[in-house]
Amino acid sequence: MLDVKRLQVLLAIVEEGSVTGAATALGYTPSAVSQQLLRLEREAGQPLLDRHARGMTPTEAGLVLARHARKVVRQLAAAESDLADIAGLRRGSVTLGTFPTVGSSFLPLAVRRYRELYPAIELTIHSGREDHLVRMLEEGKVAVSLLWDYEWQRVDNEELVLTELFTDPTVLLVGATHRLARRRTVRMADLADEPWIIRAGGHPVVEVLERSAVAAGFTPSIAFHANDYQEAQAMVSVGLGIALAPRTATVNQHPDVRVVSLGDTAPSRRVLMAHRPGRVRAAAELALHDVLVETAASYS
């Protein structure tokens, strides 16, 4: 079996054109290079270099062996890189940003899978509003973040690379005794006379309702402003009104609330994964990216 380090010495001599050049490239002394070359020639059983006053030129055998040496050295470098990536998944950390509705529905599935595959990686998650998540991305406080958008207000940020994970449809929430509770699908036009429960504080789902109602030809009558989806479901459950919500917000469903599809009469939102371009992404982060994509494929 030919010695790999001696093959590397031969390759350096051929590429540098001299023992001195090879020694400089490898960080060896010229004497050490010469000794390694002599041993390799004994292993090969024939001369590998023709020595002359102006230096050395490879023999036919030397050229053949140098070509193989180049492949071997490159393969070993690739192997070392792969091992370094694996080592990176055996230790280290990664930080992820998310928002509440996805953090309570889709994300736990991805986290469970990631921890099964990479139990030694420290995964830290920050939940917040979308403007806060974007700022954390831009400041490097999170490596990856989950975001969302609607068709009329796309995330438009040249500082971010976006990957669409899945579509999150808008659904209707009605009380268990509501006239539509047993329906699988309704249309927004069927809801013109209903009282509505909406999210307070200019929440995006309010615009979803307004746009959907306008398209259906009515103006919604508002009965209650809820601070979160749990409060909205509670008021829906006692018949105060009906509400819209992204499907991901209904995972923790109130026992007296029913979820009904609106088909294509209410707009859906995209759930996105974002990271900053032009930065070196650690192995742990790339693995998280893959797990999020794989989980989304089965989730949607």
Side-chain angles (χ1 to χ4, degrees):
M1 182 71 69
L2 296 173
D3 185 274
V4 172
K5 289 191 177 296
R6 291 169 193 157
L7 289 175
Q8 191 174 18
V9 167
L10 171 65
L11 180 60
I13 294 172
V14 171
E15 290 182 340
E16 299 296 331
S18 68
V19 168
T20 302
T24 301
L26 297 173
Y28 294 167
T29 65
S31 175
V33 169
S34 296
Q35 290 175 17
Q36 292 296 318
L37 176 60
L38 289 172
R39 290 174 183 172
L40 181 60
E41 288 182 320
R42 285 199 294 268
E43 289 176 350
Q46 55 188 305
L48 301 175
L49 294 168
D50 286 329
R51 297 157 177 83
H52 46 77
R54 294 185 179 179
M56 296 181 173
T57 55
T59 64
E60 183 178 356
L63 285 174
V64 169
L65 197 53
R67 284 198 296 269
H68 285 290
R70 187 174 290 108
K71 294 178 182 178
V72 169
V73 169
R74 287 175 179 172
Q75 283 296 107
L76 287 175
E80 289 175 352
S81 177
D82 289 345
L83 287 174
D85 283 347
I86 292 172
L89 294 173
R90 290 178 179 166
R91 57 182 177 271
S93 62
V94 62
T95 306
L96 172 70
T98 189
F99 54 97
T101 50
V102 162
S104 61
S105 54
F106 160 76
L107 187 56
L109 303 176
V111 169
R112 177 189 300 155
R113 180 59 177 159
Y114 190 74
R115 292 179 65 84
E116 287 173 353
L117 293 173
Y118 313 110
I121 298 297
E122 180 183 351
L123 176 61
T124 303
I125 302 174
H126 296 281
S127 181
R129 294 172 59 93
E130 189 162 72
D131 56 349
H132 179 59
L133 296 174
V134 171
R135 186 167 63 253
M136 286 197 295
L137 273 171
E138 293 173 341
E139 294 174 354
K141 293 180 179 178
V142 297
V144 180
S145 188
L146 301 178
L147 305 174
W148 54 265
D149 67 11
Y150 287 97
E151 61 183 356
W152 59 84
Q153 193 172 8
R154 294 301 193 198
V155 175
D156 184 17
N157 189 324
E158 294 181 354
E159 298 301 317
L160 300 178
V161 176
L162 303 176
T163 302
E164 183 173 349
L165 292 177
F166 60 89
T167 299
D168 190 14
T170 299
V171 295
L172 177 69
L173 307 180
V174 301
T177 59
H178 192 277
R179 64 183 179 87
L180 300 173
R182 294 180 180 274
R183 295 273 294 274
R184 295 186 61 181
T185 303
V186 299
R187 301 182 63 82
M188 284 296 297
D190 299 331
L191 308 173
D193 298 326
E194 297 284 341
W196 288 88
I197 295 169
I198 63 173
R199 291 288 305 274
H203 192 276
V205 77
V206 177
E207 186 168 359
V208 174
L209 173 59
E210 291 172 348
R211 287 174 174 268
S212 302
V214 167
F218 70 91
T219 300
S221 173
I222 308 303
F224 184 76
H225 292 75
N227 286 312
D228 56 38
Y229 284 117
Q230 299 309 310
E231 189 176 38
Q233 286 198 54
M235 293 303 161
V236 168
S237 74
V238 295
L240 188 62
I242 62 176
L244 298 184
R247 186 178 62 185
T248 51
T250 66
V251 170
N252 300 313
Q253 186 177 334
H254 191 289
D256 294 324
V257 168
R258 301 293 179 264
V259 178
V260 183
S261 171
L262 287 165
D264 60 359
T265 64
S268 300
R269 66 179 181 179
R270 300 188 306 173
V271 174
L272 310 164
M273 172 173 50
H275 71 271
R276 288 182 298 125
R279 50 182 290 274
V280 177
R281 306 184 72 192
E285 180 187 337
L286 293 172
L288 177 60
H289 179 285
D290 291 342
V291 168
L292 288 168
V293 170
E294 291 168 7
T295 305
S298 57
Y299 184 77
S300 56

